[in-house]
Amino acid sequence: MAEVQSFDNLLAFRNLLKASVDNSTALALALDKTGPRIAELDQKLTFLEMAIRPGGSKNCTFAAVRDHISLALGPSAAVLKILDSIRELEKSLLSDSLLHSDIFSYISTIKQFEDAIKFLTANCNLAIQWLEGVIQFLEGNSVADDRYISKVKRSVAILEELQATGEQAGRNGELLSGAFAKLEISFKQILTESSAPLSFTNSSSPWTAEQAYNAALPLPGPILRKLQAIVEKLNTGNRTNSCISVFIEVRSLNAKNSLRALDLDYLENAVEKYDDVQDMEGCIHEWSKHMEFIVKCVLESEHMLCKEVFGSLASGAWTGCFAKIAVESGILLFLRFGMSIAESKKSPTKLLHLLNIFSVLETLRMDFNKLFGGESCNEIKTMTRDFVTKVVNGASEIFWELPLQVELERRSSPPSDGGVPRLVSFVTDYCNRLLDDNYRPILTQVLRIHQGWKYEKYEEGLVTNQIYSIVREIAVNLDAWSKAYERKALSYIFMMNNHCHFTSLKGTKLGNLMGDSWLNAHGNYKEYYSALYLRETWGKILASLTQDNPDSSPKMRLMAFNEAFDDMYKKQLNWVVIDESLTNKMHKLVVQALVPAYTSYLQKYRVVVEHRSDVFYTVQSLETMLNTLFKAKQVKYTSSTIGSHLTGEQRNAVIDQLRFTLTAM
């Protein structure tokens, strides 16, 4: 009775397994045509049933066979149920509707499919183990002959093949690869549609922290979560390389588009192409604003986005991703432009350019450390380090050479009109700029860094002492230049003008540095040389009227005075006095010295004058002529901007001469 019951159980198991196999045939074909194998397994199980019918080994009990078959039944049934689930998941993965409507559900379906494949292979393994137990039992108890045992072994082989197929599908099967490919396409589409270039505000004011933060905000939160989910899923399949390449391509183009609206042609031009130093100054000003924009906004945004999207990858791939985007964006082109200025010929104006550049780099120092601190950005780090080194060394060298440069200009000739030499006006304006609140802190920091690199202690007052040396050399130059004039009167005008120029520095940074006693001394010298000029020129002419000479008649003295006046006037016609108030004062002094005496003389010898009125100046004509003195075409020297008081040709002549001096040293 027990034997019949065991046989009935086996028959029921066989019918259940066959029905399940029939229901899963279609899906099994989709999994590399493993369905026929399962059908064959079903057939082999039928033979297994026949192999254990009554008539086998007398020593084998059907109860023992029943136990082994029962244990193999559970995993085998699970395999069939999993195949049904895989068939439904496959339909979802092959359809694009779910992918487009809900990317998160699609990713979840991929995970369910992967889990189902893993569960399938696990249950295949378990069923195989129990069937192998059945084989061992049959072989050990002679329940069936070798033909039936061979068929059971064939069934085990079919399950093993199904297990291998599942493992293959779980690794890189066609269906799973296709799903991953769809995720990659969706990643590019989402990223491309959501990427928009940043707009640059052409403002002279630096970027505020709030502006930089708002500009650096990456994509909206929902978009970021989609990209992150795709990357995490692709990472489980080792498929992130393509995703990273797409990200670099899309975001590099976005960064370039952010800069495309800017006029960056100047970055391509060599420094030698700029004929006017003001052109270079304007380019550096633009460069400084654009540099802040690309670092604080464009690259900050890309850095944040790379970390947000790929930060979960254990490989740290996001840093390499950002490094490539930074290079593609054009940051190296900005660095090369600054490097070309640092490597250009020496000139005083170049020092100001280098200080402006250093100021920008110092403002961005923390940003550079944050963005380019990793090994992936070694190219940018190396170029930046070399750039900073050349800026600091170049600025320091020019600054230390300034006094010697001024000294070497001593061999040049003074102005023919007695005005202020262009070099003097240039250097005093230049010193004022070095001392103002924009440049002095930067210059001090540059010198402190340079001294530190040489392991030398930075001494406070170093900048001040160097300015003193420059001014001292200017004073020595003025003394030398004044001796180059053939006419003493013109040398006095020259010294009067230059002392007036120094006096006008009151209230400036240079004037405050030199102090009131220095300014007052120049004021006194101005008065001193004014007196010498009057005595040397109009004083001598006036003596011909006021001194009695028994050997000459009044008419002769008057004629001599007019001739001397005419000669003196012609000599001074092209002389200049740079300060308008000083010009008015000189007019007043000359008129006060000559006109009353001349008027008195004419009145005293009225008969002579009336007799020869055609050869003598009238009082009115004399005064009119005196008021036209010192008004020759002249250049204003009161600008607070270095070089702006000179025409382009004049300014470049001064700069070129100083550059030649520096380069020759």
Side-chain angles (χ1 to χ4, degrees):
M1 188 67 180
E3 294 177 354
V4 174
Q5 186 177 1
S6 298
F7 178 79
D8 291 338
N9 290 339
L10 287 174
L11 184 61
F13 167 66
R14 177 249 182 209
N15 293 333
L16 175 62
L17 187 60
K18 186 176 185 303
S20 299
V21 169
D22 291 339
N23 290 334
S24 61
T25 299
L27 179 60
L29 287 174
L31 290 172
D32 295 335
K33 299 182 180 180
T34 58
R37 297 293 187 180
I38 296 176
E40 186 178 350
L41 175 61
D42 172 65
Q43 189 177 16
K44 296 301 184 294
L45 291 176
T46 303
F47 288 123
L48 174 62
E49 172 205 357
M50 296 173 61
I52 59 176
R53 285 180 178 178
S57 173
K58 301 290 185 177
N59 299 325
C60 176
T61 65
F62 282 103
V65 174
R66 180 195 59 200
D67 292 340
H68 280 77
I69 295 299
S70 297
L71 292 172
L73 178 62
S76 299
V79 167
L80 298 175
K81 290 181 179 179
I82 294 169
L83 287 174
D84 288 336
S85 299
I86 289 176
R87 181 176 59 183
E88 295 301 322
L89 292 172
E90 182 185 33
K91 292 179 181 178
S92 298
L93 294 180
L94 291 174
S95 173
D96 291 337
S97 58
L98 180 61
L99 175 67
H100 295 153
S101 62
D102 189 349
I103 190 69
F104 298 105
S105 295
Y106 189 80
I107 293 173
S108 177
T109 301
I110 294 177
K111 187 177 186 306
Q112 293 174 26
F113 179 81
E114 292 174 321
D115 291 342
I117 292 295
K118 292 178 182 178
F119 196 41
L120 172 67
T121 56
N123 280 272
C124 282
N125 182 58
L126 190 58
I128 289 169
Q129 291 178 8
W130 287 114
L131 287 176
E132 287 177 343
V134 170
I135 293 172
Q136 292 176 1
F137 181 83
L138 293 175
E139 290 177 337
N141 294 277
S142 301
V143 175
D145 58 27
D146 292 341
R147 183 168 58 90
Y148 292 110
I149 294 175
S150 176
K151 292 183 181 297
V152 176
K153 289 181 178 180
R154 179 59 179 162
S155 299
V156 171
I158 293 174
L159 282 174
E160 289 176 342
E161 198 170 328
L162 180 60
Q163 179 185 15
T165 302
E167 291 175 348
Q168 178 68 19
R171 289 195 299 269
N172 55 3
E174 181 178 349
L175 181 62
L176 199 57
S177 294
F180 283 154
K182 290 181 179 180
L183 285 183
E184 291 171 352
I185 295 173
S186 295
F187 182 90
K188 182 174 183 179
Q189 182 178 359
I190 293 171
L191 183 65
T192 302
E193 292 176 352
S194 304
S195 296
L198 298 174
S199 59
F200 171 74
T201 303
N202 192 8
S203 173
S204 58
S205 58
W207 289 87
T208 64
E210 182 179 0
Q211 287 174 323
Y213 176 78
N214 291 334
L217 283 176
L219 305 179
I223 300 298
L224 275 177
R225 286 190 287 274
K226 288 181 180 180
L227 297 176
Q228 290 166 342
I230 293 175
V231 169
E232 290 174 2
K233 186 67 255 172
L234 291 175
N235 187 43
T236 62
N238 296 320
R239 295 282 294 263
T240 55
N241 288 339
S242 176
C243 199
I244 291 174
S245 298
V246 166
F247 187 89
I248 293 172
E249 175 188 350
V250 173
R251 294 307 299 182
S252 295
L253 180 60
N254 190 74
K256 290 178 182 178
N257 289 336
S258 296
L259 300 176
R260 189 161 293 166
L262 308 178
D263 183 8
L264 300 179
D265 291 342
Y266 66 88
L267 295 177
E268 301 288 352
N269 294 328
V271 175
E272 291 76 9
K273 291 185 179 180
Y274 293 100
D275 297 327
D276 194 327
V277 292
Q278 295 299 321
D279 291 340
M280 178 58 69
E281 187 171 355
C283 288
I284 293 175
H285 180 66
E286 289 298 302
W287 175 85
S288 65
K289 293 189 297 182
H290 296 161
M291 189 71 165
E292 282 196 74
F293 174 66
I294 187 174
V295 173
K296 284 185 173 293
C297 297
V298 177
L299 293 184
E300 173 66 25
S301 176
E302 300 306 326
H303 185 270
M304 186 180 299
L305 193 57
C306 286
K307 189 173 183 179
E308 289 283 345
V309 176
F310 298 107
S312 62
L313 302 185
S315 61
W318 74 271
T319 57
C321 180
F322 168 73
K324 292 179 181 178
I325 293 174
V327 171
E328 289 293 324
S329 70
I331 184 64
L332 294 180
L333 189 60
F334 280 85
L335 295 176
R336 290 191 190 103
F337 173 81
M339 187 79 79
S340 68
I341 296 175
E343 293 173 346
S344 64
K345 296 178 181 179
K346 295 179 184 178
S347 75
T349 306
K350 178 184 172 181
L351 171 57
L352 300 179
H353 294 338
L354 293 180
L355 294 180
N356 285 328
I357 290 173
F358 181 84
S359 177
V360 174
L361 294 177
E362 179 63 17
T363 300
L364 300 176
R365 180 167 57 88
M366 298 300 294
D367 300 276
F368 266 72
N369 291 340
K370 171 187 174 183
L371 299 178
F372 312 122
E375 293 184 3
S376 301
C377 296
N378 278 341
E379 182 180 8
I380 299 176
K381 283 196 299 184
T382 299
M383 181 175 288
T384 302
R385 189 182 306 113
D386 293 342
F387 183 20
V388 172
T389 300
K390 289 186 178 182
V391 168
V392 171
N393 288 339
S396 299
E397 289 172 6
I398 295 175
F399 180 72
W400 290 121
E401 293 170 359
L402 286 175
L404 182 57
Q405 173 195 354
V406 174
E407 177 187 348
L408 293 176
E409 289 300 307
R410 200 166 297 160
R411 294 169 294 187
S412 61
S413 301
S416 60
D417 59 4
V420 176
R422 295 167 185 166
L423 178 66
V424 173
S425 181
F426 178 88
V427 171
T428 52
D429 281 343
Y430 185 80
C431 290
N432 264 323
R433 292 195 73 176
L434 290 181
L435 291 171
D436 70 21
D437 295 337
N438 292 325
Y439 284 107
R440 184 166 184 171
I442 304 171
L443 177 59
T444 301
Q445 186 175 2
V446 166
L447 296 175
R448 192 184 300 275
I449 293 173
H450 189 255
Q451 295 291 93
W453 287 349
K454 297 192 300 181
Y455 301 100
E456 297 178 1
K457 183 180 179 181
Y458 177 81
E459 300 291 340
E460 295 297 332
L462 187 150
V463 173
T464 299
N465 292 335
Q466 189 73 345
I467 297 297
Y468 285 149
S469 298
I470 295 172
V471 174
R472 184 165 54 248
E473 294 301 331
I474 292 177
V476 176
N477 282 10
L478 290 177
D479 288 338
W481 288 332
S482 68
K483 296 174 183 177
Y485 288 105
E486 294 181 0
R487 297 186 180 91
K488 286 185 178 181
L490 184 55
S491 71
Y492 297 151
I493 288 289
F494 171 77
M495 295 300 286
M496 180 183 64
N497 277 326
N498 282 277
H499 285 297
C500 181
H501 172 73
F502 288 125
T503 303
S504 68
L505 296 176
K506 184 178 180 63
T508 66
K509 294 293 183 180
L510 180 58
N512 294 337
L513 175 67
M514 302 306 295
D516 290 339
S517 60
W518 183 83
L519 293 169
N520 293 334
H522 282 291
N524 293 334
Y525 277 118
K526 178 187 69 175
E527 299 297 332
Y528 171 73
Y529 284 107
S530 297
L532 290 181
Y533 160 76
L534 289 173
R535 187 177 67 184
E536 180 68 22
T537 54
W538 307 112
K540 290 183 177 181
I541 295 177
L542 185 60
S544 62
L545 291 179
T546 58
Q547 295 178 359
D548 292 332
N549 186 352
D551 296 331
S552 62
S553 64
K555 184 178 71 172
M556 293 176 60
R557 289 200 299 272
L558 190 58
M559 291 180 64
F561 171 83
N562 277 261
E563 290 175 359
F565 177 86
D566 192 54
D567 181 64
M568 183 66 68
Y569 175 80
K570 290 178 180 179
K571 288 178 180 179
Q572 298 189 36
L573 193 59
N574 292 320
W575 297 1
V576 298
V577 175
I578 65 167
D579 183 76
E580 184 177 357
S581 62
L582 181 59
T583 300
N584 295 333
K585 181 179 179 181
M586 294 300 296
H587 286 161
K588 185 177 181 180
L589 290 175
V590 173
V591 169
Q592 288 178 347
L594 288 183
V595 173
Y598 187 66
T599 302
S600 177
Y601 195 87
L602 290 180
Q603 290 176 349
K604 182 177 181 180
Y605 299 100
R606 181 168 42 191
V607 176
V608 176
V609 173
E610 290 176 352
H611 182 66
R612 296 295 304 273
S613 59
D614 57 326
V615 297
F616 303 134
Y617 288 112
T618 64
V619 174
Q620 184 62 39
S621 63
L622 186 72
E623 186 172 353
T624 299
M625 291 178 67
L626 290 175
N627 285 328
T628 62
L629 288 175
F630 314 127
K631 290 186 178 180
K633 185 179 180 181
Q634 55 185 287
V635 181
K636 297 291 289 182
Y637 295 92
T638 57
S639 173
S640 60
T641 303
I642 187 167
S644 63
H645 57 275
L646 304 174
T647 65
E649 182 179 355
Q650 293 169 332
R651 179 175 58 250
N652 288 334
V654 176
I655 299 298
D656 290 342
Q657 180 62 35
L658 298 182
R659 180 186 292 120
F660 173 79
T661 304
L662 281 169
T663 306
M665 291 170 54

